[in-house]
């Protein structure tokens, strides 16, 4: 009933928009722009219009993720979760969807379920490609249940994973030469873009640099040139690196805040001397579902996204008569 | 000022000061540097339980499974080596319970001992007393699946399996005595190769009465080793 009402409002809203004759690409761009401008109702309207087109050509997972983000922004976390879950595990967007849906669960107060998602995101298979936000998310939920030990473990893993990468990005941002950059540029001029890409390059270069249109434009014409003539590419990479470093700085600040608060509570919060409340078994497993033990360092391929966590809440001191 | 408060203030100050620096590497280095804090954190680790909860690979609510079965029989009449080619139908009521109907057709050969008895009887001009072997059988079964697990095949595929117990009653058609009661009980493991195909390995005990000598009834106790390939319809 509420959902139907929501659609009615959206349709009413869309009447006033000049959308006739628009292509799917138009709707897609407009929905993106509306979402960036926090006009979620408008974005949902465009997505609705896009879905109504028979051959819109937008991949299902892309559309579901965009709509989930719109609902998340609108505060409809239940609907957002439903859409996040529709994103296929085979999709490149799946890890992002797991991370974002964990935030939706936090907003809904489902901390244990959010922790379960972070266990998937930081499992041995994915930890090497985990984004900085994933570490922040994991640290945040661990802090929420006063699991300070895990907070420090995550910080440690974050440092180990990102130290070399950040150092490379800093040099790249300052247009300094590193072995990785020099090798890449030499290969680029000799062989072209695709043969120059190797795991080392992908690991220390800015995230998504291969999706950057300006970089690709410069890289296309780089073959056969002298390395010294590739100043445009280096400038572009420096810009991308700077932007990513700002992002890193932001995440590190948040991790500092969590760490600072954890330290404060460890030394000054008297409630930690109390007892953790026993929480009820929140399990959502069905009568015939299969339950297996979990081994953090040996997660089986089929176990991703099938984890359930039951963590006790923070300790409390109960006073007589309270 | 206590030592704890002082150390907290120092840590907090160092944390706060590091925010003002431009160098992201330095910011990163200042994270998680205090080992004492980490030791202290360990003392209040929460009782966190993580488990893997998965849906069954195959939905077995009100589903019919047809299987082609091949069995070897051990025990019973020492003069005959028997194998059985069978068709089994199992109706899965829930993932834990199924009822089934089985039909099996015997393939009998003389064992070395049987051949010796035949040779001796022929030499003596007598008819060998080996006639009451099984021809075919019908069984009704009830199967319970209390245990499950999964196997990782060389990191290529993870397959779920069920351990089950089964019991049944039916009629066996014997060459000489005709139809007699047949009782069986046993167990096995079923592996779900795909969401429609299963492989089962089963061992069960079966017993029935046959006739030997001068119309003397004899109890036959056999162990049946079966391999099955099943298709969920």
């Amino acid at each position: 009933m509420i959902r139907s009402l929501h659609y009615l409002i959206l349709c009413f809203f869309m009447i006033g928009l000049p959308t006739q004759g628009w292509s799917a690409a138009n709707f897609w761009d407009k929905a993106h722009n509306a979402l960036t401008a926090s006009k979620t109702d408008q974005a949902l309207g465009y997505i609705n219009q896009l879905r109504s087109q028979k051959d819109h050509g937008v991949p299902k997972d892309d559309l579901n993720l965009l709509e989930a983000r719109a609902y998340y922004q609108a505060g409809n976390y239940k609907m957002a979760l439903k859409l996040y879950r529709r994103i296929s595990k085979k999709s490149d967007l799946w890890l992002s969807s797991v991370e974002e849906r964990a935030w939706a669960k936090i907003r809904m107060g489902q901390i244990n379920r959010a922790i379960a998602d972070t266990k998937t995101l930081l499992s041995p298979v994915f930890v090497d490609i985990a984004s900085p936000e994933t570490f922040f998310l994991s640290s945040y939920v661990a802090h929420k249940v006063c699991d300070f030990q895990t907070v420090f473990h995550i910080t440690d893993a974050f440092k180990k994973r990102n130290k070399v990468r950040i150092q490379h990005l800093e040099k790249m941002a300052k247009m300094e030469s590193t072995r990785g950059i020099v090798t890449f540029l030499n290969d680029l001029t000799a062989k072209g873009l695709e043969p120059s890409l190797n795991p080392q390059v992908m690991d220390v270069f800015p995230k998504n640099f291969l999706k950057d249109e300006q970089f690709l434009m410069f890289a296309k014409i780089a073959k056969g040139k002298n390395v010294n003539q590739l100043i445009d590419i280096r400038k572009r990479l420096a810009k991308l690196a700077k932007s990513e470093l700002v992002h890193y700085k932001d995440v590190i600040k948040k991790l500092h805040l969590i760490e600072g608060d954890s330290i404060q509570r460890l030394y000054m919060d008297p409630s930690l001397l109390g007892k953790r409340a026993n929480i009820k078994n929140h399990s959502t497993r069905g009568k015939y579902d299969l339950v297996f033990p979990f081994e953090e360092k040996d997660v089986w391929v089929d176990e991703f996204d099938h984890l359930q966590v039951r963590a006790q809440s923070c300790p409390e001191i109960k006073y007589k008569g309270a | 000022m206590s030592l704890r408060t002082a150390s907290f203030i120092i840590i907090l100050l160092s944390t706060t000061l590091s925010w003002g620096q431009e160098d992201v590497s330095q910011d990163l280095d200042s994270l998680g540097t205090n080992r004492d804090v980490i030791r202290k954190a360990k003392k209040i680790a929460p009782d966190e339980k993580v488990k893997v909860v998965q849906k069954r690979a195959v939905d077995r609510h009100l589903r019919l499974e047809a299987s082609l079965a091949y069995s070897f029989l051990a025990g019973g009449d020492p003069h005959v080596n028997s194998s059985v080619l069978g068709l089994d139908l199992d109706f899965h009521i829930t993932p834990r319970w199924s009822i089934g109907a089985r039909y099996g057709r015997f393939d009998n050969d003389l064992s070395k001992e049987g051949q010796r008895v035949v040779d001796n009887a022929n030499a003596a001009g007598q008819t060998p007393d080996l006639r009451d072997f099984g021809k075919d059988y019908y069984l009704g079964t009830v199967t319970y699946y209390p245990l499950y697990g999964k196997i990782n095949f060389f990191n290529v595929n993870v397959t779920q399996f069920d351990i089950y117990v089964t019991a049944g009653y039916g009629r066996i058609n014997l060459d000489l005595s005709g139809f007699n009661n047949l009782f069986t009980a046993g167990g096995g493991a079923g592996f779900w190769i795909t969401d429609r195909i299963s492989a089962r390995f089963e061992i069960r005990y079966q017993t029935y009465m046959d006739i030997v000598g001068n119309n003397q009834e004899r109890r036959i106790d056999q162990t049946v080793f079966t391999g099955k390939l099943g298709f969920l319809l």
Side-chain angles (χ1 to χ4, degrees):
Chain A
M1 175 68 187
I2 292 169
R3 203 180 160 199
S4 313
L5 195 68
H6 194 191
Y7 272 117
L8 267 176
I9 294 166
L10 288 178
C11 291
F12 177 76
F13 179 78
M14 293 304 294
I15 290 168
L17 295 172
T19 58
Q20 267 193 342
W22 277 16
S23 69
N26 281 134
F27 282 118
W28 177 252
D29 289 342
K30 290 283 177 188
H32 256 289
N33 295 338
L35 202 57
T36 312
S38 298
K39 293 175 181 171
T40 48
D41 277 349
Q42 212 175 78
L44 285 167
Y46 289 129
I47 293 166
N48 203 26
Q49 293 271 50
L50 183 56
R51 281 197 191 277
S52 67
Q53 291 194 356
K54 270 186 183 172
D55 302 313
H56 55 67
V58 178
K60 213 166 57 179
D61 291 327
D62 293 53
L63 199 52
N64 282 333
L65 187 63
L66 186 69
E67 193 172 3
R69 284 171 176 168
Y71 275 112
Y72 181 94
Q73 226 174 74
N76 188 345
Y77 304 117
K78 203 174 167 186
M79 195 60 200
L81 273 183
K82 202 172 161 184
L83 288 154
Y84 281 129
R85 284 197 193 104
R86 281 189 199 160
I87 292 162
S88 160
K89 275 186 189 170
K90 291 173 186 167
S91 166
D92 288 345
L93 305 172
W94 182 71
L95 278 179
S96 301
S97 77
V98 176
E99 187 188 314
E100 289 175 30
R101 83 176 183 217
W103 282 113
K105 287 172 186 174
I106 291 168
R107 295 289 179 114
M108 291 170 82
Q110 301 172 352
I111 294 296
N112 280 315
R113 291 184 186 178
I115 295 173
D117 284 338
T118 63
K119 298 277 175 196
T120 294
L121 291 167
L122 289 186
S123 67
V125 177
F126 298 128
V127 72
D128 285 342
I129 52 168
S131 68
E133 289 87 0
T134 302
F135 288 92
F136 166 58
L137 165 71
S138 307
S139 184
Y140 179 81
V141 286
H143 176 265
K144 269 269 183 193
V145 292
C146 297
D147 183 359
F148 301 120
Q149 189 186 358
T150 302
V151 167
F152 293 111
H153 277 166
I154 291 167
T155 305
D156 199 41
F158 178 77
K159 283 174 80 171
K160 277 181 189 157
R161 162 73 193 128
N162 293 291
K163 196 173 171 63
V164 175
R165 181 174 165 75
I166 287 174
Q167 283 169 350
H168 268 89
L169 287 173
E170 280 176 335
K171 285 186 178 171
M172 194 181 276
K174 291 173 193 163
M175 303 269 284
E176 288 174 15
S177 292
T178 64
R179 207 165 65 180
I181 295 167
V182 172
T183 312
F184 171 72
L185 293 178
N186 282 334
D187 287 351
L188 185 66
T189 52
K191 307 176 207 167
L193 181 60
E194 274 185 36
S196 324
L197 301 170
N198 58 51
Q200 281 83 15
V201 167
M202 302 299 277
D203 208 34
V204 296
F205 272 42
K207 192 182 166 189
N208 293 333
F209 77 102
L210 282 174
K211 289 182 184 168
D212 183 70
E213 282 178 14
Q214 277 194 45
F215 171 82
L216 289 175
M217 193 178 73
F218 296 138
K220 255 184 200 173
I221 52 169
K223 195 174 174 184
K225 284 188 175 176
N226 187 300
V227 173
N228 296 327
Q229 293 174 297
L230 299 180
I231 193 74
D232 287 336
I233 287 188
R234 297 202 63 172
K235 276 183 181 169
R236 188 64 198 159
L237 283 173
K239 196 172 178 190
L240 292 172
K242 270 180 197 164
S243 147
E244 192 164 336
L245 284 169
V246 169
H247 191 58
Y248 263 113
K249 203 168 174 68
D250 185 45
V251 170
I252 291 169
K253 265 185 192 177
K254 289 173 186 167
L255 288 175
H256 267 299
L257 277 173
I258 291 174
E259 190 180 299
D261 190 65
S262 301
I263 295 167
Q264 182 195 16
R265 294 192 64 185
L266 278 168
Y267 283 97
M268 300 177 92
D269 186 352
S271 70
L272 293 183
L273 299 170
K275 285 187 175 174
R276 292 182 192 269
N278 279 325
I279 50 168
K280 285 178 188 168
N281 192 353
H282 70 285
S283 176
T284 53
R285 76 183 180 93
K287 191 179 174 188
Y288 297 112
D289 287 347
L290 313 180
V291 183
F292 298 101
F294 173 72
E295 178 53 61
E296 202 150 355
K297 286 178 183 165
D298 185 22
V299 184
W300 289 21
V301 183
D302 65 320
E303 291 176 351
F304 299 127
D305 211 19
H306 292 290
L307 304 174
Q308 278 194 6
V309 173
R310 208 191 74 161
Q312 288 179 315
S313 55
C314 288
E316 282 179 72
I317 291 177
K318 283 189 180 169
Y319 297 100
K320 276 185 183 175
Chain B
M1 188 188 292
S2 75
L3 190 65
R4 281 180 185 175
T5 315
S7 64
F8 166 69
I9 291 168
I10 290 163
I11 291 159
L12 204 64
L13 274 175
S14 67
T15 303
T16 315
L17 286 172
S18 70
W19 291 353
Q21 293 166 355
E22 286 302 312
D23 195 337
V24 183
S25 286
Q26 280 183 24
D27 280 2
L28 185 75
D29 287 339
S30 62
L31 271 173
T33 46
N34 194 321
R35 294 284 134 196
D36 287 340
V37 177
I38 296 167
R39 267 196 290 277
K40 194 171 173 64
K42 277 183 187 170
K43 289 179 186 166
I44 53 161
D47 182 16
E48 187 189 74
K49 285 174 186 151
V50 187
K51 60 191 176 188
V52 182
V53 177
Q54 289 178 288
K55 297 275 175 215
R56 285 175 185 268
V58 178
D59 175 26
R60 301 210 306 268
H61 284 94
L62 307 178
R63 300 280 300 271
L64 188 65
E65 183 184 358
S67 312
L68 204 61
Y70 189 75
S71 312
F72 290 101
L73 278 71
D77 190 340
H79 304 113
V80 183
N81 286 334
S82 300
S83 60
V84 177
L85 188 63
L87 181 68
D88 297 358
L89 290 174
D90 280 287
F91 182 67
H92 296 277
I93 302 162
T94 69
R96 296 240 171 86
W97 288 98
S98 72
I99 50 172
R102 299 183 180 190
Y103 172 75
R105 201 169 178 82
F106 282 84
D107 180 27
N108 300 302
D109 281 320
L110 285 173
S111 65
K112 280 183 182 171
E113 176 61 12
Q115 191 61 55
R116 193 186 63 77
V117 169
V118 170
D119 291 344
N120 287 349
N122 286 343
Q126 295 170 340
T127 309
D129 180 20
L130 295 172
R131 265 198 62 203
D132 213 11
F133 47 81
K135 287 162 74 176
D136 54 8
Y137 69 78
Y138 305 87
L139 265 176
T141 55
V142 177
T143 307
Y144 178 56
Y145 305 80
L147 304 171
Y148 57 76
K150 55 183 180 178
I151 288 184
N152 186 351
F153 282 107
F154 309 106
N155 283 336
V156 174
N157 191 23
V158 177
T159 303
Q160 291 180 6
F161 65 87
D162 287 276
I163 305 285
Y164 60 90
V165 288
T166 186
Y169 164 77
R171 304 279 284 170
I172 183 166
N173 182 15
L174 298 163
D175 186 56
L176 189 62
S177 18
F179 282 98
N180 269 354
N181 289 333
L182 172 69
F183 299 92
T184 189
F191 297 83
W192 294 97
I193 300 167
T194 71
D195 57 355
R196 281 195 175 269
I197 299 174
S198 69
R200 287 171 191 268
F201 303 96
E202 185 181 285
I203 302 173
R204 62 186 168 84
Y205 158 80
Q206 70 177 24
T207 182
Y208 58 89
M209 305 296 277
D210 72 352
I211 289 173
V212 69
N214 297 325
N215 279 339
Q216 267 192 323
E217 277 202 325
R218 175 181 63 172
R219 196 172 112 173
I220 295 287
D221 297 307
Q222 289 178 315
T223 308
V224 187
F225 300 91
T226 307
K228 290 200 240 185
L229 195 63
F231 301 90
L232 264 177
L233 304 174

